[in-house]
Amino acid sequence: MLKLMKLEFAKIKVSSIVRAFVIIAASILAFTILTGSIIDEGERMFDNASQMLAFGEILCRISYGIFGGVMLGNVVIGEYKEGTIQNLFSYPISRKRIMGCKLCIVFGFTFITILLSEIIFGIGMFLANRWITIVTEPITLMQIMGRLPGAVFSAGATAGLSMIPLYFGMRRKSVTATIVAGVVINCLVNSSFGGDQGQLSLFSISLVPAGLCILGLAIAYVSYRDIDKRDVI
């Protein structure tokens, strides 16, 4: 499996992925610093550090969840659309192992990028708040470290639910459908509701992201479970 993953990595433009990761992470930091430093009628965007860090986590989940959908479309669905999957399946390797490897790569990349982005965001805001007043109270490293378990859950759940667009992409063999589904699902799950009095999101209800993660992993498994017995196209 590791050798197969190395072959798949060779086909992926890792430098482009890293560049996109850096651009997105920098954009999230810049946007949060800009909005947090603006004072409107004597009030700031964020009341405290926890609210600001939670805002950044939402942006990271949405951005890199969509990023996972894009990668899923390119790495898996794109091969079907372009017909290159037929050449890949002509190798003396189980189709199931090839597809499983591809999905593991997408899941792993999504998990790692979300986790890293949340860590980078926390450290970045910790440093930025020392020179620019984003929140009036100090941001401590203990606060950032305390959010790590939640960040691990957040990354795992988002990586799992980011597999759900595979269902739509495989039905139409469409990269566009995969990406659009990824955008819609991630935005819906992370959208806030409830007004100004205690805003909530579907993601804040732990059972929802956990359930969607399981659903996404189930869809990923079903998508390649019988692939050795059925036609490619």
Side-chain angles (χ1 to χ4, degrees):
M1 179 65 82
L2 290 176
K3 290 182 179 179
L4 195 56
M5 291 183 75
K6 287 181 181 179
L7 289 173
E8 286 298 323
F9 268 119
K11 295 167 60 179
I12 299 170
K13 296 181 179 178
V14 179
S15 60
S16 299
I17 293 174
V18 173
R19 184 163 57 250
F21 170 80
V22 172
I23 292 171
I24 294 170
S27 300
I28 292 172
L29 273 172
F31 179 72
T32 307
I33 291 171
L34 179 63
T35 55
S37 59
I38 295 173
I39 302 175
D40 183 21
E41 297 181 356
E43 294 185 357
R44 292 186 177 275
M45 172 75 173
F46 307 112
D47 296 329
N48 50 58
S50 295
Q51 190 182 65
M52 182 269 295
L53 291 172
F55 176 78
E57 288 176 5
I58 291 172
L59 291 182
C60 289
R61 287 198 303 267
I62 293 175
S63 300
Y64 292 104
I66 294 172
F67 181 79
V70 172
M71 192 172 177
L72 188 66
N74 291 331
V75 173
V76 180
I77 309 301
E79 296 249 29
Y80 278 92
K81 185 177 180 181
E82 295 170 8
T84 54
I85 198 75
Q86 290 176 311
N87 296 330
L88 192 61
F89 284 165
S90 66
Y91 298 160
I93 305 172
S94 167
R95 292 180 178 183
K96 187 181 291 187
R97 291 187 65 187
I98 293 173
M99 284 297 293
C101 178
K102 285 177 174 291
L103 294 174
C104 282
I105 288 174
V106 174
F107 180 92
F109 260 103
T110 307
F111 176 84
I112 291 170
T113 52
I114 293 172
L115 184 59
L116 277 180
S117 67
E118 292 195 18
I119 293 171
I120 291 170
F121 177 82
I123 295 173
M125 298 312 295
F126 166 75
L127 296 173
N129 201 54
R130 301 179 67 178
W131 288 282
I132 305 170
T133 304
I134 303 167
V135 288
T136 52
E137 67 177 44
I139 302 171
T140 66
L141 287 175
M142 288 301 294
Q143 280 180 301
I144 297 169
M145 294 295 291
R147 300 184 79 90
L148 275 179
V152 173
F153 172 79
S154 173
T158 305
L161 68 86
S162 292
M163 292 287 153
I164 296 176
L166 184 66
Y167 170 77
F168 302 96
M170 289 292 282
R171 286 191 68 184
R172 296 176 175 272
K173 300 297 186 290
S174 169
V175 175
T176 302
T178 307
I179 296 172
V180 170
V183 172
V184 172
I185 291 168
N186 280 282
C187 288
L188 281 177
V189 172
N190 289 284
S191 294
S192 298
F193 58 90
D196 295 330
Q197 302 298 320
Q199 287 192 344
L200 292 172
S201 70
L202 290 175
F203 201 94
S204 64
I205 305 169
S206 299
L207 288 176
V208 174
L212 290 175
C213 175
I214 294 170
L215 175 62
L217 294 177
I219 288 172
Y221 174 70
V222 170
S223 71
Y224 74 90
R225 180 185 57 183
D226 299 323
I227 200 166
D228 286 328
K229 302 177 184 178
R230 64 175 185 256
D231 292 336
V232 176
I233 304 301

